[in-house]
Amino acid sequence: THYPVKDARGKFGDLDPLFGRAMVILRNPINAVPSYFNLQYEHQNHLPTHSTRGPNEAWVNYRDSPTNGLAYQLTHYENFVSYWMEKYPERTQLLVFSYEDLTNNYSGPFVAERIAAFLGEVNRVDPIAPESIPCVWETIVNYKNVAPPPTEETVSEDMEGTKWQQATPPVLEQGQMMETPLVVEEPDILRKTHADPSSLREGPKIRPYTQKNLADMQAMFRRLSEKYNSHKGFARIMASYMEVVSNTVPVND
C-alpha cells in the first residue's frame, strides 16, 4: 500500500488500526519517481504496462510540474516514511528494508530470510524452511535474470550434477592434433548478475536532475535519517540513498 499518501478504495483508513505489525519497502526516489512517471506515461498513451520509458522531454515536464512533479512526490515520500515509522515506535513490530537490497544478488536472499523470520514471529504463521529461502527468492524476485533452460543437445551433466555447455569437438583424422583446446563454457544461467529492475521497458534509462533536485533529495534523506537515527537499518538505507544522489551529476538548470 501507499497509504496514507494514497488510499485507492478509501477503505484502508478503517483497516489501519487492525494492523499491529508492518513491513515497509523503500526505494530510492531517484529511481522510484521516474518509474512512477513511466507508468503514468504508459497509461496516458495507452501503452502496455512496463513496456516503455517516456522520453526525457516528457520526463522534464513531469519533474518540474508543481502539481505532481518531483517536489510533490518527495513531500509524499517523506510523509509516507514518517507515518509508518511513527506508527510503530516499538521497532520489533516494524520491518524496514529497501527495494535495492531485496533485488540485489548478494543481499536479496538475506533480506528474504529477514522477511521469513519476521512472519514467523506471528502465531500460526509457518514460514518456509530456511534452506528453501534462496530458491524462493530466485524464483520470485530474480526471475527476470534466469536464462532459458538449456536443451538436451547443448547440455551434459557431470557426476556432481552441475550442468555445463560444451563446444562440439571437431572431427580429427588419425594422428591429427587439435589446434585449439576444446572450450568448456559455463552457461549464462550459472553466471547470473543483478538484472535491471526495469529491463522490460524500452527507452532512456538515465533521467536528468538539476542541482536543486538533488539537493532537495539529500535534504529529505538527512531529515529522515536524523529523525529516526535510532533505527540503524533505516539509517543505513538513507545513507546509501544519499551516496547514490551525491554521485549523480546534475544537468544545468
Side-chain angles (χ1 to χ4, degrees):
T1 179
H2 296 106
Y3 184 85
V5 173
K6 290 185 178 180
D7 191 4
R9 293 182 175 85
K11 300 291 186 181
F12 197 88
D14 296 332
L15 298 174
D16 189 20
L18 303 178
F19 292 98
R21 318 175 85 225
M23 291 187 291
V24 175
I25 307 175
L26 301 176
R27 186 179 184 187
N28 195 330
I30 201 171
N31 296 317
V33 176
S35 180
Y36 183 61
F37 156 75
N38 290 332
L39 182 64
Q40 290 185 310
Y41 181 85
E42 290 165 341
H43 289 172
Q44 292 168 0
N45 292 276
H46 310 289
L47 299 169
T49 302
H50 292 286
S51 66
T52 307
R53 300 184 188 93
N56 272 334
E57 295 81 2
W59 156 253
V60 170
N61 290 334
Y62 172 85
R63 182 198 70 191
D64 297 339
S65 170
T67 56
N68 65 347
L70 179 64
Y72 175 88
Q73 298 297 339
L74 291 180
T75 297
H76 282 303
Y77 187 97
E78 187 168 2
N79 291 341
F80 171 86
V81 172
S82 296
Y83 176 82
W84 291 104
M85 296 296 286
E86 297 289 343
K87 179 176 171 64
Y88 299 100
E90 178 54 58
R91 298 305 185 207
T92 58
Q93 304 305 312
L94 177 67
L95 177 62
V96 179
F97 56 93
S98 73
Y99 171 88
E100 292 80 7
D101 285 343
L102 179 62
T103 57
N104 179 272
N105 262 5
Y106 175 76
S107 61
F110 293 103
V111 175
E113 289 179 5
R114 291 176 59 206
I115 293 172
F118 185 76
L119 294 173
E121 293 171 359
V122 179
N123 291 335
R124 293 181 292 181
V125 174
D126 297 317
I128 61 173
E131 60 270 19
S132 300
I133 291 175
C135 179
V136 171
W137 178 85
E138 285 283 352
T139 303
I140 296 176
V141 178
N142 206 35
Y143 70 96
K144 292 181 183 178
N145 205 27
V146 178
T151 63
E152 293 181 1
E153 289 76 14
T154 59
V155 171
S156 66
E157 190 165 351
D158 66 13
M159 295 181 62
E160 295 183 2
T162 303
K163 294 182 177 180
W164 304 91
Q165 181 150 352
Q166 296 181 338
T168 302
V171 177
L172 303 177
E173 296 180 1
Q174 186 175 5
Q176 181 181 359
M177 298 293 292
M178 187 180 299
E179 295 181 359
T180 58
L182 180 65
V183 176
V184 180
E185 182 179 358
E186 183 183 5
D188 289 340
I189 194 171
L190 297 179
R191 290 186 277 111
K192 296 195 298 290
T193 57
H194 174 50
D196 178 356
S198 302
S199 59
L200 295 181
R201 281 188 167 123
E202 295 181 355
K205 293 183 179 182
I206 306 300
R207 296 303 189 187
Y209 286 100
T210 67
Q211 184 67 53
K212 184 179 186 309
N213 295 153
L214 300 175
D216 288 345
M217 279 188 263
Q218 291 282 43
M220 182 192 67
F221 295 143
R222 282 194 295 270
R223 286 193 301 271
L224 289 171
S225 183
E226 292 170 2
K227 190 175 182 180
Y228 305 111
N229 60 6
S230 63
H231 193 297
K232 301 304 181 184
F234 176 80
R236 182 194 64 79
I237 293 172
M238 292 296 101
S240 70
Y241 288 176
M242 283 190 278
E243 181 179 6
V244 170
V245 172
S246 67
N247 290 330
T248 299
V249 178
V251 298
N252 294 328
D253 292 353

